[in-house]
Each structure stands twice: as C-alpha cells, then as structure tokens.
Amino acid sequence: MSPDIRKTFHLDGVEIPFREGQTVFDAAMAAGIYIPHLCHNPDFEPHSSCRLCTVIVNGRPFASCTQPAVAGQDVKSDTPELNDMRRSLTEMLLVEGNHYCPACEKSGNCRLQATAYALGVQYNHYPQFFPHRDVDASHPEIILDRDRCILCGLCVRISRRVDRKNVFAMTGRGITTTIVIDSPSGLLVDSRVSRDDEAVQHCPVGALMMKGEAFKVPIGERRYDTSPISEDSVAKFQAREVRLHG
Amino acid sequence: MVREEPHPAMDPVREILEMHERDLGELLQVLIEVQHALHCVPDEAVALISDHLRVTRGHIRGVIGFYSFLSDTYLGEYVVYISDNITDRMLGSDGLAIYLCNRLGVTLGKTRADGRASVHFTSCTGMCDQGPAALVNGLPLTRLTRVRMDEIAKLINARTPVDQWPAEYFRVEDNFRRSDVMFRRTPEPGAALKAAMRRGGDETLKDIQYEEAVDPSSGHAWRRGADETLKELYRSDLRGRGGAGFKAAIKWETCRDISAPERYVVCNADEGEPGTFKDRVLLTSYTDMVFEGMTLCGYVVGSSRGILYIRQEYWYLRPHLEAVLARRRDSALLGRNILGTGFAFDIDIHWGAGAYICGMESALIESLEGRRGKPRKRWPLPVVAGLNNRPTVVNNVETFAAAAMIALKGGAWFAGHGTTHSSGTKLFCVSGDCDRPGIYEYPFGVSVREVLRDCGGLEAQAVQISGPSGTTITRLEFDRILAFEDLSTVGTFMVFGPTRDMFDVVRNFTHFFRHESCGLCTPCRVGTSLLASLVDKVAAGKGSPMDVEQVQKISQIMKTTAHCGLGQTAPNHLLDSLVKFRGDWDKRMVTTEFVPAFDLDAALGEARALTGRDDALAHL
Ligand SMILES: Cc1cc2nc3c(=O)[nH]c(=O)nc-3n(C[C@H](O)[C@H](O)[C@H](O)COP(=O)(O)O)c2cc1C
Ligand code: SF4
Ligand code: SF4
Ligand code: FES
C-alpha cells in the first residue's frame, strides 16, 4: 500500500485516521473523540486495568488503550450500553476505596471525580466496602493516602520506567491489593522517593499528593471545575500529538 | 495484640540463596524454599534475598503478598491447608476443618500462640476423587475423616515430624477408571522422538552433523523430520487441552517462524480449575509421555529450553519428576546430545505458590519471571513474545502427551478418533456424587449421560462441566456431548446428586473467584467481591429480586469488560444457576422487596454498648 493513503477505521460511524502502531484510544483522542479512561495517561505505557476505555471492535470488547488500530475495523464506543458499564465501573472504584470528595484536597483536580461527573454517576448502586487501609504520612513532602488509591498502577510504572527507582509496588491479591513502598520499614520516609519524581506527579486521584499545597488553588477554580474532563483530556492529548508528531 | 514473632536464624536462607543464580527468575523459587524452611518469609529474609537477587524489597513484598502459600507472618511448625472445593465440602471438609481446629486449639487462619500450628482453607488441591483432602507442610492428605483428624492432632501435639507420619495418610491414587486409545499402554521412553526424527528419512539418526542439521535451509533429514512432524500435528488437528482449544500446530509453527535468539517450551501444569486432577495423574503415571511431548516441541520449534510450571499442591511429586528427568538425561533423551543428534534440550521445574490465575498463560510467564502472577496486556501473545520476551509455546500437560502420541502414531490415526472439530480423546476428571470417581478417557463426542452411566452417577440433578468457570447442566441436558462443538471442557466433571442444594455450589464457586481474582482490573477485582457479598446476602435470608438483578448486571459487566478469562468466566455459574436452579435461590428470598445488606439496628449496637442501653427505644 502506498504511504500517502492514510489508513482509517470507523468509530461510532466516524472515519478515524491512524498511524501504524497507534492504539484505538490514541487514534480516537487524536481525532478529538474522548474515550473515558482512568488508568491510562497517554504520556506513559498503557496497562489496561481500569477497563473504562472498553470499546467494541468488530463485535468483541477490548480495552482501547492497548488495542492496536487496524484498517477498516468497526469500533463502537459512545453507546448507552458501554457508557452504562463505564458508569458502573466508576461506581465500583468509588465504593472499593474511601472517597469523601467534599473533604478531599484533590477535589476538582481528581480524575475519578471528574470522570464520574462526565459519566453521570449520581449515587452508588453498590454498598461501600469501607476498607481499612494505611495512610503513609511519614515523608516530609509527600503523602500516600491508600484510602483513595484506585490501583491504576501509574506510580508503580512511572517509578520503574521513568524514575528508575522502583519506589512503588503492589502487594496483596484481588480485593486486598494495595501499594507497598520499597524501603526497609515500608514507609515513604525511608525510601528513595523525592518530590521531583515523575511517579508522584501523575496520580489521577488524591492518593499520592504533595504536602503543603492544600487549597492553594481554591475549589471552583481547579482543572475540572473549569472544563469537563472530556475536553481537558482531548485538548491535552492533541497538544501532545502536535509536540511529538508535528 | 502484639505477638512475638519467632526470629528463626537466617542460615537456611543463605544456604537456599547459594543454590540459586542471581536472577529475578529465581525469586519465586527462593521464596518457596524459604517458606518451606521457615514457615514464613520474615523481613530479615526479604533483606537477604533483596541483596542477593538485586531485587527491591518492595517487589519481594509484592510477590509474597500475591501468592497464597507465601506468608510474611509465621504460620507455625505445622501448616495445614484444607481443600475448599465444593466436592471436598460435600464430603464434609468444613466440619472436619472446625473439628481439627478444636482438637488443636487454634482459630482458623491464626497461628497457635505457642507457634505449633495453623489451619487454613485453600482452593481445590486436586484430590477431588479422594477427598476430603488437605495439605500438611506441603504434602497431600487424602480421604480425611474425624478419626484421621484425631490422629493428626495427636501427631502435631506430640511434634512428630511429618516424614514420620504413617505413609497411608499421604496415599494418592490414580483412579484411572477408563482408558481409550491414548492412555492404554505407555510407549517406550524415546519412541516418539525417534519416530519424529525418522520422519525425515531413515538415515536421520545416523551420523548427524548438528550444525548442518539445525540450519533450516540445509534441508537435512534431521530438520526435515521436524517439519514432517509438524505436518503430522496439523493432520491430527490437535486442539489445546487447557481450555481454550487453540490448535497446537499453529502455535508451534508460529513460534518456530519468529526469528529470535532463543525460544521456550512451557508445560502448563498449574491445574487450578477446581475439580481438575488429570494433569496430576499424567505427571504421576505418564511422566515420560509429557516430557517427551515437550522435547518434541523443542525439536519442532527449535528450542533448547523447556520448563514445567507446576502448582505447589503437587510438591509431593518433586522427587518423582526429578528422577524421571535424571533418567531421561542418562538415556540421552534430554541434555546436550539427544539421541546422538546433537540436539540440545533440557527441562527445568518451576513451582507455583498458590494462585489460580497463574494457569492463565501470560500470568504464568510473569510468575516464571519472578513476578506477581498478573496477566499481561493482551498483545503481543506469548507465542510471539513470552518468557523473557522470546517466542514461547505454552501448552497444557495433556496437549504435550497427545503430541507425543501423534509423533509416534501419526496425525491421521489421532484424527480418526473424536468428532469433526474435536479430534482425539480427552481425559475427564470425575468427582462428586457418583460411585466411581476418577479419571476417564473417552473420544471427544461422548455424552454426559454415558460418562454418568460409567461412573455410577445417573441420579445426578446437575453436572458442572469444566469447573466453576464452565457450564452447569441439568438432567434435561444429559444428552449433550463433550466436545468443542458443544460442551467445551478442560475435563472437569463434578456430579451433584438429587439432594444437593445447588445454591451451596454457587456460593462456593463465588467465594473461589473472589479469592483468586488477581486484582488487576476493576470489574473482576471489585465485581467478584460484590458478587460474593450479594450471594452471602441471599444465603443469610436477606435476598430480594433486586439483588438478583444486581448479580445479573455485574455479571454482564464482568463478561464484557474483564481483562482476562478469569473475570470473564467467573459469573458463568451464577447466570446458569439463576436460569436452571432458580428454586434454590427463591426459597431463600424472604421478600419481593429490597432488603439492605447494611443492618442499621446492628450498627447502633456500639452506641447502645457505650450508653449501656438495650431497651426497646434504643432499637429501631
Ligand atoms: C484463569 C485461567 C486459568 C487457566 N488455568 C490453566 C491451567 O491450569 N492449565 C492449563 O493448561 N491452562 C490453563 N488456562 C489456559 C491457558 O491460558 C492456556 O490457554 C493454555 O495453557 C494453553 O495450552 P493448550 O493450548 O495446550 O490448552 C487458564 C486460563 C485462564 C484464563
Ligand atoms: S497511588 Fe495513585 S498513581 Fe499509585 S496506583 Fe494508587 S491511584 Fe494509581
Ligand atoms: S479478569 Fe480478574 S484475574 Fe483477570 S486480569 Fe482482571 S482482575 Fe486479574
Ligand atoms: S484506560 Fe484503558 S483500561 Fe484503563
């Protein structure tokens, strides 16, 4: 095939061009179409765990963040059924941890909260789990509040691949999965973490945060207070595309 | 309460570390040996292992936390795991567990204050045809009774070492009740390999120049033998016996054709699906056939390294497996110069540590690499980039055994048995309410009724085909056939007699999946927990039709959005049960209205206790 013919697939009936090797998710976002997502940050490798980005490709469900785009395929994303499932998945994350949005410093900057709004989560259909999870406030600058962790694994992946420190890991299994810290005491203060680490910058929720920045930006003026997460994500993604690919 | 942890000397840990290379891939094996030696992996050991293998403590703690048989707290001198499959339960295992706990004076899951013992439940140990079963310090106990539990408690209280317990306690039977064309007589070790190599011409086994032979373009007879064998595999139409039924020949050819400096042959003996025990029997009595199939795969795909990944429940097979490998090395069926052809292939054994998910092939590979056994991203497939990112064939134990027979007898012979889309024969693991539980070999296409007739289980009200992740079938469906065309199966066949309450089955399976979900993805991690609480709620007599709706909705979400087969199939049995055994649900429903799981009155108990009130007004 000659290189000047751009390959495309169909997403909810719209023709989407893509580059060889691009995922369905990346191609959609580049074309300005938002697919809800939580565990993926386009600046890092995807690992398909939250499953919010699930789409139907030629009749079968796949996580779009790891699914390679293929010419001619038929992809469905913005359907009532899929959005309903995404809403349920978001509710599952909300009941699994302890999320008290009104009292949370991340409110307004939180991707979980913003995604819940975007999907129209009104109340939880599931009973709260009220898990007992430890807070690690040992570090002078960084706090890890496991109550709010959605196990997206971003801190683990970024600390391993980008910072090359392996400060964060997961332990437990199934519903008991939690973050562990690589240090003799298991506490952040004894670890190699530093406030400049990429790993502590990208937590989508209020689980990993900097100390001393509480309410610097007042509620009401924060990122997702001013624009919905769909627009914000697409804009950010497109800016990144321009930066990387011109 | 702070309990003093015994701080065992770390010498055994140092000795174990000396036996292992400084490689992350050794981590799980090291942890297993440390756990066996110390009955825990304490922080001091984590530090030593971290230094030796150059792995972070965080990673090591993550691995310990993932596998059921590893523990960072001391489990006691004697560690008993009671098998918690539904078939064990039907034989009274839960009562026996409580009985043993009472005899030992322990609370389930807690180590006795003197550090002597602890008792736990564990997922199915693969002894369903001879349960109730358990493991003590890693060794299988079968056919447990109250009398046996009394004796065991006495031995533990007297600190009698497990190797001095009566051998009878540990007797494991094959119970091979019916054999067909595949497992009638075991072929001579080496016969299948020789037959494969001879397919390239009679001269193959004489005077081979190996360098020439391995060069695929050389067209040498030895290489031709490998290609001809692959053709036989195609002719046989052999489909994987581990569940998915993928064609073995396609997998082998794909692996062969990807250029890579090394490729691997992995035999999947995780056998975690509750009610499955055929791989145990194959590895006990058809061991050579399995290893020969792996070697053959190495020959066909051009690999020199085979790995048997086996669940730790089968730890007692270790001396036997090592002995067979050693004998095969001695007879030039493994090693650097197989049958004098210069072909090099050897097999290592890697042990699992209690995780059903590690039977899923990419999770298995993660486990082999010394990590938490969580499935990888969907692409690339392991056959393209598996172990150490190299092309890797992962096949089930029974698939390799079948491949060996195909090499020996030819693809047409194999395809002559079974049905159009399911060639050959299949092993079935029959357990539950029947007269003759055990292993049955039938050609694919056998009906459920025929198996029930042979095992003495025709009274059954239901059969669970292919384990909790499979299909529940009722009396009306007993004429359905076992084959990929109809009831596709790993071979699990659990029989439920007419008086069983099928809701108990559902409850057992639901708890199994909650326990085994790897926790990676939202729908399965949270979904399995929600389902377990909903089922428990119904069991407690608080269920309502709204809860059933929730079960159905969560099930649908899991089937559509879960990352891997575990989460996608975990709700199958619930959906089946709701259609086929609704009566066993409905009789537990007290109302047609919603009843909250949260008990507001009970929640006020604390306030009542604090205020010292218990009068009517202090209650709702
Ligand atoms: C949750 C889960 C558990 C599995 N457990 C096993 C197992 O214990 N043994 C096995 O051979 N395959 C198991 N499989 C299937 C493997 O992923 C893989 O398909 C199989 O080993 C391939 O071998 P085969 O083609 O010979 O069947 C499991 C799959 C899933 C999703
Ligand atoms: S702490 Fe934050 S970044 Fe890390 S796994 Fe939890 S939610 Fe994700
Ligand atoms: S479906 Fe379950 S077992 Fe599979 S990846 Fe998701 S959490 Fe893990
Ligand atoms: S964004 Fe794709 S699975 Fe989380």
Side-chain angles (χ1 to χ4, degrees), chain B residues 266-381:
Chain B
V266 174
C267 178
N268 187 345
D270 196 56
E271 192 154 71
E273 191 69 45
T276 318
F277 47 89
K278 69 193 175 65
D279 296 341
R280 155 171 65 76
V281 173
L282 289 180
L283 288 168
T284 306
S285 299
Y286 297 84
T287 326
D288 273 286
M289 249 168 105
V290 177
F291 288 151
E292 190 132 337
M294 292 175 70
T295 314
L296 198 77
C297 181
Y299 171 51
V300 169
V301 307
S303 159
S304 60
R305 184 137 183 246
I307 298 158
L308 174 70
Y309 184 93
I310 178 168
R311 67 193 314 226
Q312 208 181 120
E313 286 82 347
Y314 300 160
W315 186 253
Y316 74 102
L317 287 175
R318 192 181 184 185
H320 164 70
L321 294 170
E322 297 284 6
V324 174
L325 288 177
R327 171 168 53 64
R328 289 183 71 86
R329 284 183 199 113
D330 288 345
S331 19
L333 295 173
L334 280 177
R336 299 228 170 133
N337 187 14
I338 291 174
L339 293 169
T341 62
F343 166 49
F345 186 83
D346 215 325
I347 297 172
D348 287 330
I349 303 177
H350 267 243
W351 294 91
Y356 166 61
I357 188 60
C358 287
M360 191 272 175
E361 58 183 357
S362 70
L364 183 156
I365 288 168
E366 288 284 296
S367 181
L368 280 178
E369 291 182 355
R371 302 177 209 280
R372 294 159 59 76
K374 66 176 182 49
R376 291 182 173 177
K377 282 187 291 188
R378 195 159 183 140
W379 318 109
L381 295 174

Side-chain angles (χ1 to χ4, degrees), chain B residues 466-485:
Chain B
S466 208
S469 69
T471 317
T472 316
I473 62 157
T474 66
R475 294 189 68 81
L476 299 174
E477 304 168 89
F478 284 174
D479 288 316
R480 292 179 66 179
I481 61 159
L482 297 157
F484 293 108
E485 292 93 321

Side-chain angles (χ1 to χ4, degrees), chain B residues 541-562:
Chain B
K542 292 184 178 173
S544 71
M546 267 178 83
D547 296 306
V548 170
E549 267 171 46
Q550 283 277 25
V551 166
Q552 284 163 326
K553 179 161 183 204
I554 295 164
S555 297
Q556 211 45 58
I557 293 168
M558 288 171 69
K559 285 173 83 75
T560 309
T561 64

